[in-house]
Amino acid sequence: MPLDVVILGPPGAGKGTQGQRISAELGISHINTGDMYRAAVAEGTELGAKVKPFMDAGNLVPDDLTIEVVRDRLAQPDTAEGFVLDGFPRTMPQAEALDTILGEADRELSVVLDFQLPEELAEQRLLKRAVQQGRKDDTPDVIHHRMETMRIPDALIEYYRARGILVGIHADRTIDEVFAEVLSVLQTAAAR
Ligand code: AMP
């Protein structure tokens, strides 16, 4: 059985860092829609041109486009053993589409990790990152706007909670502490 994992949480909660570690430890593919979009913009592809205005404005890319991108990505052979999806789904239509895509391949989500971090703390982390990386465009206002637009809808959390596959992770700890808990959750999920 493939291990199909989703990580939810606000920007700054450490989804990317943990996604990479899970991928390295368990040998499943880390898929981050934000990274895919940034790569497309950097390479100047047709997709990059389509998504750039939304990204520049700090808004979500429309669902139909994002769903197609994820559908194509999940069809790649490197996802056969599983994947850890980070940054998707962010809306209910995306969550429903993900179930459809997986269902077509006779798969279903194994577990959804909900990274919990108070928004104030998440904003502080993003501001610190912006300063460290010299991202002058990332002002407190811009970061606050991104936090609001990227907030995971309650309905999405409930959708997975109702299915019994949601696991809350306290993200306000060291990377190693969070990873230890994540690994134990994933080992339990894999054994089911
Ligand atoms: P991130 O690095 O996850 O903050 O993503 C960077 C940008 O990519 C976001 O601000 C959105 O414009 C876009 N994006 C990433 N994931 C999604 C998604 N699931 N739905 C819509 N837009 C997305």
Side-chain angles (χ1 to χ4, degrees), residues 11 15 32-35 37-38 51-52 54-63 66-67 70 86-91 94 146 149-150:
K15 302 189 298 293
N32 175 305
T33 42
D35 283 350
Y37 282 155
R38 273 183 290 275
V51 301
K52 190 170 186 298
F54 297 101
M55 296 179 75
D56 285 349
N59 292 326
L60 288 176
V61 171
D63 281 341
T66 301
I67 288 166
V70 171
D86 137 30
F88 182 96
R90 277 181 161 134
T91 66
Q94 291 181 10
R146 195 184 312 149
T149 23
M150 298 297 146

Side-chain angles (χ1 to χ4, degrees), residues 119-130:
E119 282 188 17
E120 276 168 36
L121 267 182
E123 287 188 28
Q124 281 170 19
R125 283 191 184 182
L126 291 180
L127 261 177
K128 206 168 130 196
R129 200 187 292 176

Side-chain angles (χ1 to χ4, degrees), residues 9-11 31 36 56 61 65 68 71 74-75 78 84 106 108 123 153-154 178 187 191:
I31 301 173
M36 290 172 71
D56 285 349
V61 171
L65 190 54
E68 270 325 293
R71 177 185 285 280
L74 292 180
D78 67 304
V84 48
D106 249 339
E108 61 180 2
E123 287 188 28
D154 288 344
V178 173
Q187 277 153 2

Side-chain angles (χ1 to χ4, degrees), residues 30-191:
H30 177 218
I31 301 173
N32 175 305
T33 42
D35 283 350
M36 290 172 71
Y37 282 155
R38 273 183 290 275
V41 170
E43 287 162 18
T45 65
E46 206 177 308
L47 174 68
K50 280 190 201 161
V51 301
K52 190 170 186 298
F54 297 101
M55 296 179 75
D56 285 349
N59 292 326
L60 288 176
V61 171
D63 281 341
D64 51 352
L65 190 54
T66 301
I67 288 166
E68 270 325 293
V69 165
V70 171
R71 177 185 285 280
D72 288 349
R73 182 64 189 84
L74 292 180
Q76 302 299 311
D78 67 304
T79 63
E81 300 294 314
F83 56 77
V84 48
L85 248 184
D86 137 30
F88 182 96
R90 277 181 161 134
T91 66
M92 278 307 291
Q94 291 181 10
E96 283 160 4
L98 178 59
D99 284 338
T100 304
I101 293 166
L102 292 177
E104 285 165 4
D106 249 339
R107 293 165 74 147
E108 61 180 2
L109 281 181
S110 314
V111 65
V112 176
L113 304 173
D114 179 25
F115 277 34
Q116 294 163 345
L117 185 73
E119 282 188 17
E120 276 168 36
L121 267 182
E123 287 188 28
Q124 281 170 19
R125 283 191 184 182
L126 291 180
L127 261 177
K128 206 168 130 196
R129 200 187 292 176
V131 171
Q132 280 166 351
Q133 299 176 351
R135 281 154 58 163
K136 296 205 179 62
D137 293 347
D138 284 2
T139 62
D141 280 353
V142 167
I143 287 175
H144 187 69
H145 172 73
R146 195 184 312 149
M147 202 59 92
E148 306 243 293
T149 23
M150 298 297 146
R151 188 178 294 138
I152 302 294
D154 288 344
L156 190 53
I157 303 278
E158 288 312 316
Y159 181 70
Y160 291 129
R161 196 197 310 279
R163 291 229 306 256
I165 56 171
L166 189 79
V167 179
I169 303 284
H170 291 283
D172 182 19
R173 291 178 298 169
T174 67
I175 292 174
D176 286 343
E177 284 167 341
V178 173
F179 186 59
E181 182 177 346
V182 163
L183 259 194
S184 103
V185 168
L186 295 184
Q187 277 153 2
T188 306

